[in-house]
């Protein structure tokens, strides 16, 4: 089976891997790069568990073929914390009990970061629409939305 | 929400959960996250037909494909009899049926039914092999609904099925059992009524919808032992059931619990595990199997589709004089729908003297149903709580007052038999009545609905071990998979007992060889039952710590008191010894400090919930928007209020999905048409408002901290609450779920005729 050599930047580091024919970015991240924080809930772009930020765009990694990220830059949940410093979103999710089973959490954190990078002061409605591509079956979204709003406030305060 | 109980230091507070960090950083390992050296990947070959005889299976071509290491079919598994059955904590399991659900033998009973499984070095090779397996089917007529399955001359699924409780003749029916609750004099009761409302309801099959698909890795050794890593709601259950299906002893299998990405009842059974173990045994290498979302929908879960009739009579003061209910639930391919609990729960919130409840468990050519949050109760409450609302309407009585007039309290007898101990139903009704939401003005096309619900909650078996580390911290080991924050609750109760900081406690979920037997995380039982085991183990540990202090001081143990994490001499004759000091010197006083406890928990605290929903109906499109939602639930005591609120909110959200969108749709070939989240639409963030919670705390006297279960009852009222709100907004009673835009528009058009 032929494999394609891919070089890209993941969470700030240059990474090289070999992708199988037809391998999705989701599978490559999990199987070749061992970034298991990227989750698979559907593999059809409907649940958002596999969310990554690809060149500033929130993207379902299950809908991208791995070779497509050649030369590009991406952020996964593993890239949110800086050293031993959690991202304010991670902190507010913990304090706000925004996760129950936690399988959707990486996707929500990435989607929320993508929102706050562009809109540091979103309304509740803007938050709800920004994460409408991410499914959570446990929480009813209440605590997730509150935690994103409170992280946004924290980030604004420290800026 | 009500205020935290002042007498506790940790119980009732909101610490950051101990497993939280791993889950916000992506480190947590779920079912699909394990990779072992030399691991093979597998696929399951599934039936394309809803009902067919398997004429032949030829795997010879598939075996020749490069990279294919093992193939298994039904004949590779032992034949297991019906008499081999056991209570699994969420209902009785018939191992013969379970084994045939795991893999078909001579007949497939639903589209998606496993027929073969393959392990190969790559998923491409496995998929090629799946294509190359030649299976000849002889298709049979099929039934998808209770109506079709109960019809005369219906195609029969099982030639050995009898209707338990009715008839012993085999192979003539799709009705597996009949439930019956009867009391008083039905005719006399209805004769006393000033108003009688009777309606018929249908609900569709819906899926638990956990975001993590089923996944397993099995590594079977040459010694006939297997290590199984999987996410489930009970790894001891996985061990027992997998062993049964394989014809092994449970002790031949060790199950290591992965983090679980949601279950809601759907992971209280096995699907892939025996296939993975058998493939691994054949190939001599570890094997991983992961379901696709499509497979999750077609072959796991869902809960029953139902047809329910309810007739209730009440006098002009709103007192219920008689009630009658008829319930039929699909079980899927094998008997065991939750119609029993449906019958038990349908009228249970109310004191009713004259009643007749009958239920039917009906097999159909659809995936075998699995427990889903308060199994059987939500659809029953949809029917009964809607009829009650109509009675309140007709009598001009406030719907909360109508419920208050009939509500059960301590000493009342439930329609299914037992007498209630102290319960908090009335308190949930009052909490909603007093809530500002109840008085918020409504606009045009808006409506308000209320509904209540009951769930038993579970007890069952749990084990716990508490180890004191040499630095004075504690490890709390249980066998209960943590599905929504239960580790935090265990740590909080342990902190309270040991008198140490909650963050000096490490709660862990151990594998089947590292902790005593523990039943599933289900039935809302973990904080109650496993919590009891933890508290008991902690109390033993406190006894040991006190004993060690007595030894150091050379006094009798009766002179030692345990206060705030330290041993104190009752007369102050010695300066206190902290847990750190005792732990540090444990070698000299008798060795490590550790204790275990096991319970088969009795004294379950039953749960009630009352919910209030405001909707706005778009009369053009039929779309229903949830404007406001408030839920009040008796938790007994909330150990970690945030996660109690989370359970309440999560149950409501699932109920709203069930009410408005979710349904299994089958085409004319008996094939599910919407096996993905695009077409099977669960609520997303923009569909919902904030969900306000009122935690009512009427302590359960049988638990050291008053805990009742909180996980399930929250999903019981929502469909009725939404339906009642829609009726308030439009004047139309919708009796079929889901209340989709098309259905609403149709109902509104009927209005105009
Ligand atoms: S796995 Fe990519 S959206 Fe669900
Ligand atoms: S926390 Fe379980 S799916 Fe979101």
């Amino acid at each position: 089976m032929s494999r394609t050599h891919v070089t890209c930047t993941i969470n700030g580091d240059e990474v090289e891997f070999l992708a199988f024919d037809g391998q999705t970015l989701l599978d490559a991240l999990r199987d070749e790069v061992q970034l298991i924080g990227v989750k698979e809930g559907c593999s059809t772009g409907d649940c958002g568990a596999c969310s990554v930020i690809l060149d500033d765009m929130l993207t379902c990694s299950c809908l991208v073929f791995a070779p497509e990220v050649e030369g590009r830059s991406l952020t996964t949940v593993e890239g949110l914390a800086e050293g031993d410093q959690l991202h304010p979103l991670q902190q507010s999710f913990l304090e706000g009990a925004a996760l129950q089973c936690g399988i959707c959490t990486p996707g929500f954190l990435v989607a929320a970061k993508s929102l706050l990078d562009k809109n540091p002061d979103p309304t509740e409605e803007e938050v709800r629409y920004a994460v409408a591509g991410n499914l959570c079956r446990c929480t009813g979204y209440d605590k997730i939305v509150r935690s994103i709003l409170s992280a946004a406030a924290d980030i604004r305060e420290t800026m | 929400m009500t205020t935290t109980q002042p007498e506790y230091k940790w119980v009732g507070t909101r610490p950051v959960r101990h497993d939280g960090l791993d889950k916000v950083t992506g480190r947590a390992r779920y079912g699909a996250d394990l990779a072992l050296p030399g691991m093979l990947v597998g696929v399951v070959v599934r039936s394309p037909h809803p009902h067919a005889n398997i004429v032949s299976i030829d795997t010879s071509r598939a075996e020749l494909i490069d990279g294919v290491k093992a193939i298994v079919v039904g004949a590779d598994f032992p034949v297991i009899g019906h008499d081999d059955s056991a209570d699994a904590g969420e209902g009785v399991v018939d191992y013969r049926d379970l084994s045939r659900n795991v893999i078909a033998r001579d007949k497939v009973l639903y589209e998606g039914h496993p027929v073969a499984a393959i392990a190969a070095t790559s998923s491409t090779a496995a998929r090629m092999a799946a294509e190359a397996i030649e299976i000849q089917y002889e298709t049979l007529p099929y039934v998808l609904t209770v109506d079709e399955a109960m019809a005369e001359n219906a195609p029969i699924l099982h030639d050995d099925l009898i209707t338990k409780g009715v008839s012993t003749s085999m192979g003539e029916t799709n009705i597996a059992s009949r439930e019956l609750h009867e009391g008083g004099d039905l005719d006399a009761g209805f004769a006393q009524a000033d108003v009688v409302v009777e309606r018929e309801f249908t609900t569709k099959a819906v899926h638990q919808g956990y975001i993590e698909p089923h996944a397993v890795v099995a590594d079977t050794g040459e010694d006939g032992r297997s290590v199984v890593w999987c996410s489930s709601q009970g790894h001891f259950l996985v061990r027992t059931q997998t062993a049964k299906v394989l014809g092994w002893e449970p002790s031949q299998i060790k199950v290591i619990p992965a983090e679980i990405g949601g279950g809601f009842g759907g992971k209280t059974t096995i699907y892939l595990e025996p296939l993975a173990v058998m493939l691994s045994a054949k190939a001599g290498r570890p094997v991983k199997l992961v379901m696709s979302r499509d497979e999750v929908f077609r072959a796991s879960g869902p809960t029953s589709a139902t047809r329910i009739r309810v007739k209730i009579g009440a006098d002009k003061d709103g007192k219920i004089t008689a009630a009658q209910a008829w319930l039929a639930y699909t079980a899927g391919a094998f008997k065991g729908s939750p119609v029993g609990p449906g019958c038990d729960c349908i009228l249970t919130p109310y004191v009713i003297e004259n009643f007749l409840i009958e239920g039917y468990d009906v097999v159909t050519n659809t995936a075998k149903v699995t427990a889903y949050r308060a199994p059987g109760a939500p659809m029953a409450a949809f029917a009964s709580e809607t009829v009650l609302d109509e009675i309140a309407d007709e009598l001009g009585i406030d719907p909360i007052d109508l419920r208050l007039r009939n509500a059960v309290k301590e000493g009342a007898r439930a329609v299914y038999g037992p007498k209630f101990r102290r319960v908090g139903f009335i308190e949930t009704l009052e909490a909603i009545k007093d809530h500002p939401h109840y008085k918020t003005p409504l606009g045009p096309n808006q409506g308000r609905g209320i509904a209540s619900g009951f769930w038993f909650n579970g007890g069952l078996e749990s084990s716990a071990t508490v180890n004191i580390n040499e630095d004075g911290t504690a490890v709390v080991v249980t066998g209960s998979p943590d599905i929504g924050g239960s580790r935090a609750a265990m740590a909080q109760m342990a902190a309270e007992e040991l008198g140490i900081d909650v963050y000096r406690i490490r709660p862990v979920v151990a594998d089947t060889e590292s902790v005593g037997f523990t039943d599933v995380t289900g039935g809302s039982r973990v904080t109650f039952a496993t919590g009891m085991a933890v508290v008991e183990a902690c109390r033993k540990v406190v006894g040991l710590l006190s004993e060690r202090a007595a030894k150091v001081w050379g006094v009798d143990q009766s002179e030692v008191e345990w206060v705030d994490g330290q041993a104190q001499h009752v007369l102050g004759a010695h300066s206190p010894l902290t847990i750190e000091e005792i732990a540090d010197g444990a070698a000299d006083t008798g060795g490590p400090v550790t204790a275990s406890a096991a319970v088969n928990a009795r004294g379950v605290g039953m749960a009630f919930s009352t919910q209030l929903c405001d909707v706005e109906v778009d009369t053009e499109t039929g779309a229903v928007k949830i404007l406001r939602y408030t839920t009040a639930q008796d938790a007994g005591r909330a150990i970690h209020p945030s996660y109690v609120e989370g359970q309440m909110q999560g149950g409501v959200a699932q109920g709203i999905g069930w009410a408005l969108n979710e349904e299994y749709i089958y085409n004319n070939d008996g094939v599910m048409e919407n096996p993905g989240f695009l077409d099977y639409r669960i609520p997303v963030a923009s569909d919902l408002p904030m969900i306000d919670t009122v935690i009512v705390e009427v302590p359960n006297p049988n638990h050291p901290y008053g805990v009742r279960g909180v996980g399930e009852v929250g999903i019981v009222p929502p469909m009725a609450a939404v339906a009642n709100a829609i009726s308030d907004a439009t004047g139309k009673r919708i009796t079929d779920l889901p209340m989709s835009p098309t259905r609403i528009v149709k109902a509104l058009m009927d209005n105009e005729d």
Side-chain angles (χ1 to χ4, degrees):
Chain A
M1 233 175 301
S2 73
R3 302 186 76 174
T4 311
H5 183 262
V6 180
T7 309
C8 62
T9 305
I10 302 179
N11 301 326
D13 296 330
E14 191 180 280
V15 173
E16 294 178 54
F17 62 89
L18 293 175
F20 286 102
D21 272 356
Q23 193 172 29
T24 62
L25 176 59
L26 168 62
D27 287 345
L29 287 173
R30 289 177 56 83
D31 298 342
E32 316 305 327
V33 195
Q34 276 78 49
L35 289 173
I36 57 153
V38 190
K39 300 299 181 197
E40 175 173 337
C42 67
S43 81
T44 50
D46 300 316
C47 78
C50 65
S51 298
V52 298
I53 298 174
L54 180 56
D55 292 340
D56 300 329
M57 274 283 289
L58 181 63
T59 305
C60 290
S61 61
C62 69
L63 295 183
V64 175
F65 284 118
E68 292 180 57
V69 302
E70 174 65 36
R72 298 167 76 181
S73 161
L74 56 127
T75 305
T76 70
V77 70
E78 287 91 345
L80 293 191
E82 284 183 36
D84 63 356
Q85 216 35 50
L86 288 182
H87 188 279
L89 278 162
Q90 292 171 309
Q91 197 59 44
S92 73
F93 268 53
L94 285 178
E95 281 162 14
L99 49 139
Q100 282 176 31
C101 78
I103 193 84
C104 68
T105 307
F108 270 97
L109 287 167
V110 167
K113 179 180 185 319
S114 164
L115 166 70
L116 299 189
D117 286 350
K118 292 178 189 124
N119 177 1
D121 192 6
T123 61
E124 180 192 327
E125 195 174 1
E126 284 168 337
V127 170
R128 287 189 182 275
Y129 279 94
V131 298
N134 291 76
L135 299 180
C136 174
R137 192 60 157 171
C138 297
T139 64
Y141 304 103
D142 183 300
K143 292 185 194 307
I144 293 177
V145 173
R146 285 179 204 275
S147 296
I148 295 172
L149 289 167
S150 104
D154 288 347
I155 295 170
R156 288 197 306 275
E157 237 166 64
T158 54
M159 279 204 311
Chain B
M1 76 139 260
T2 51
T3 48
T4 300
Q5 302 301 313
E7 68 260 41
Y8 296 126
K9 189 154 181 222
W10 297 108
V11 165
T13 66
R14 301 173 188 248
V16 167
R17 62 198 275 173
H18 299 68
D19 53 312
L21 184 67
D22 282 355
K23 288 180 175 165
V24 298
T25 53
R27 284 192 195 99
R29 290 199 175 199
Y30 293 82
D33 295 338
L34 180 73
L36 293 177
M39 188 173 78
L40 304 172
V41 290
V43 298
V44 177
V45 180
R46 296 174 185 278
S47 165
H49 306 295
H51 198 190
N53 288 321
I54 301 172
V55 179
S56 65
I57 306 179
D58 182 355
T59 59
S60 54
R61 271 200 326 129
E63 274 154 23
L64 297 177
I65 289 171
D66 230 18
V68 171
K69 299 291 176 189
I71 298 178
V72 295
V73 297
D76 291 313
F77 292 79
V79 177
I80 293 167
H82 280 299
D83 41 346
D84 218 355
S85 61
D87 197 325
E90 286 261 15
V92 174
V93 175
D94 179 319
Y95 288 119
R96 182 265 183 198
D97 289 351
L98 178 71
S99 71
R100 281 166 198 242
N101 194 43
V102 164
I103 190 158
R105 285 196 91 87
D106 22 59
K107 201 178 182 198
V108 289
L109 292 157
Y110 57 96
E111 185 246 342
H113 200 162
V115 180
I118 298 150
T121 49
S122 73
S123 51
T124 316
R127 262 183 256 122
M128 276 165 59
E131 302 266 302
I133 293 185
E134 286 162 32
I135 307 168
Q136 263 198 315
Y137 295 101
E138 177 199 0
T139 59
L140 299 167
Y142 58 87
V143 291
L144 299 177
T145 63
V146 288
D147 299 350
E148 289 167 13
M150 292 171 89
E152 245 177 89
N153 300 322
I156 298 296
L157 271 76
H158 301 281
D159 53 20
D160 58 353
L161 191 78
I162 60 161
T163 307
K164 221 174 102 197
V166 176
S167 144
T168 52
S169 60
M170 285 202 287
E172 293 168 1
T173 182
N174 291 316
I175 302 172
S177 71
R178 174 172 185 247
E179 309 280 330
L180 190 66
H181 298 314
E182 236 177 324
D185 182 338
L186 202 63
D187 292 339
F190 280 120
Q192 286 162 30
D194 294 304
V195 49
V196 174
V197 173
E198 180 172 11
R199 287 209 178 254
E200 184 164 311
F201 302 83
T202 65
T203 71
K204 294 286 179 58
V206 296
H207 198 274
Q208 294 79 350
Y210 32 81
I211 305 301
E212 180 205 32
H214 299 264
V216 60
V217 174
D219 191 3
T220 310
E222 291 74 4
D223 57 355
R225 295 176 47 79
S226 193
V227 180
V228 172
W229 167 299
C230 68
S231 89
S232 79
Q233 287 175 248
H235 39 297
F236 284 90
L237 169 140
V238 170
R239 184 180 71 166
T240 316
Q241 294 193 347
T242 304
K244 280 284 181 194
V245 169
L246 294 167
W248 292 15
E249 295 291 329
S251 57
Q252 287 175 268
I253 301 171
K254 167 176 170 173
V255 184
I256 303 175
E259 292 294 339
I260 169 168
F264 316 107
K267 291 177 184 166
T268 57
T269 186
I270 55 166
Y271 297 104
L272 301 173
E273 290 79 2
L275 303 178
V277 170
M278 190 70 104
L279 286 169
S280 171
K282 272 199 167 180
R285 287 165 69 169
V287 172
K288 182 179 196 165
L289 288 174
V290 182
M291 281 195 200
S292 66
R293 177 57 53 185
D294 180 282
E295 290 177 289
V296 170
F297 273 114
R298 291 184 199 280
S300 78
T303 193
S304 306
T306 70
R307 177 175 293 280
I308 301 174
R309 286 194 289 274
V310 172
K311 177 179 174 187
I312 298 178
D315 67 19
K316 59 184 185 318
D317 299 325
K319 190 178 168 341
I320 299 172
T321 59
Q324 187 173 4
W326 182 98
L327 307 88
Y329 285 32
T330 60
F334 301 95
K335 64 182 179 283
S337 78
V339 73
C343 291
D344 291 351
C345 293
I346 186 161
L347 297 163
T348 298
Y350 309 105
V351 179
I352 302 174
E353 266 168 41
N354 309 305
F355 58 88
L356 173 66
I357 301 166
E358 59 180 319
Y360 294 90
D361 180 27
V362 185
V363 294
T364 46
N365 293 110
T366 54
K368 163 78 175 81
V369 304
T370 312
Y372 180 20
R373 211 169 198 158
M379 37 296 229
F382 166 58
S384 56
E385 291 289 307
T386 307
V387 169
L388 271 185
D389 199 63
E390 202 170 341
I391 288 183
D393 250 9
E394 292 208 7
L395 291 171
I397 298 178
D398 174 284
I400 295 185
D401 289 339
L402 180 85
R403 286 170 173 80
L404 280 169
R405 229 158 270 181
N406 296 285
V408 293
K409 49 176 183 265
E410 191 169 358
R413 190 169 286 288
V415 285
Y416 70 97
K419 261 197 179 144
F420 285 103
R421 288 185 281 240
R422 182 78 176 90
V423 289
F425 179 34
I426 290 174
E427 287 80 353
T428 66
L429 287 163
E430 284 166 347
I432 290 295
K433 203 171 173 185
D434 295 343
H435 198 281
H437 177 173
Y438 203 48
K439 289 164 200 91
T440 312
L442 292 168
N445 294 325
Q446 296 184 354
R448 174 165 297 153
I450 88 134
S452 298
F454 160 81
W455 183 249
F456 321 87
N457 292 336
L460 303 176
E461 296 175 75
S462 285
S463 307
T465 298
V466 175
N467 298 320
I468 304 299
N469 293 318
E470 60 265 46
D471 56 5
T473 59
V475 183
V476 172
V477 187
T478 74
S480 292
D482 177 355
I483 210 162
S486 59
R487 264 169 292 196
M490 296 306 134
Q492 285 173 273
M493 287 184 273
E496 203 69 57
E497 292 292 328
L498 300 174
I500 64 177
D501 191 287
V502 75
Y503 296 116
R504 290 185 67 76
I505 292 172
R506 200 74 215 161
V508 301
V509 184
D511 66 65
T512 52
E513 294 180 352
S514 308
V515 68
F517 180 88
T518 300
D519 274 309
V520 292
T521 296
S524 306
R525 61 175 287 279
V526 171
T527 309
F528 170 70
T530 307
M532 271 165 106
V534 167
V535 168
E536 220 179 290
C538 285
R539 288 182 182 171
K540 287 186 190 169
V541 160
V542 165
L544 291 172
L545 291 164
S546 306
E547 192 185 305
R548 303 301 175 88
K551 228 181 218 173
V552 173
W553 292 334
V555 301
D556 191 83
Q557 200 187 328
S558 62
E559 292 170 44
V560 182
E561 267 180 344
W562 191 259
V563 184
D564 287 340
Q566 53 182 17
Q568 296 182 355
H569 189 261
V570 277
L571 303 172
H574 298 272
S575 45
L577 275 172
T578 63
I579 194 168
E580 289 84 359
E581 289 166 330
I582 299 172
D584 188 39
D588 299 328
T589 57
V593 177
T594 174
S596 297
V599 300
N600 189 354
R602 312 255 172 238
V604 169
M606 293 173 163
F608 287 90
S609 168
T610 298
Q611 302 183 0
L612 181 60
C613 168
D614 290 358
V615 300
E616 182 171 297
V617 180
D618 183 327
T619 50
E620 297 280 304
T621 63
V624 174
K625 186 169 173 51
I626 308 288
L627 297 175
R628 277 173 222 97
Y629 208 104
T630 305
T631 168
Q633 183 176 322
D634 178 13
R637 175 150 292 134
I639 304 294
H640 194 308
S642 297
Y643 291 107
V644 171
E645 291 160 6
Q647 288 298 322
M648 294 165 68
Q649 292 164 334
V652 166
Q654 285 184 318
I656 289 172
W658 199 339
L660 296 178
N661 304 314
E662 296 179 32
E663 63 177 314
Y664 269 52
I665 300 169
Y666 294 94
N667 70 13
N668 287 338
D669 298 320
V671 171
M672 185 185 182
E673 279 211 304
N674 58 337
F677 283 132
L678 188 63
D679 299 314
Y680 182 99
R681 199 172 173 286
I682 72 173
V684 301
S686 51
D687 294 333
L688 298 174
M690 292 297 182
I691 298 163
D692 207 354
T693 54
V694 185
I695 302 177
V696 171
E697 294 188 306
V698 177
N700 172 9
N702 301 306
H703 184 275
Y705 292 99
V707 167
R708 293 172 196 272
V710 296
E712 290 168 289
V713 73
I715 200 175
V716 182
M719 288 100 84
V722 173
N724 293 341
I726 291 173
S727 156
D728 188 41
T730 64
K732 297 303 284 182
R733 292 272 166 202
I734 316 271
T735 51
D736 303 297
L737 295 185
M739 296 176 280
S740 57
T742 357
R743 207 160 248 158
I744 304 262
V745 167
K746 194 169 167 290
L748 291 174
M749 294 208 310
D750 287 350
N751 211 15
E752 284 160 11
D753 292 344

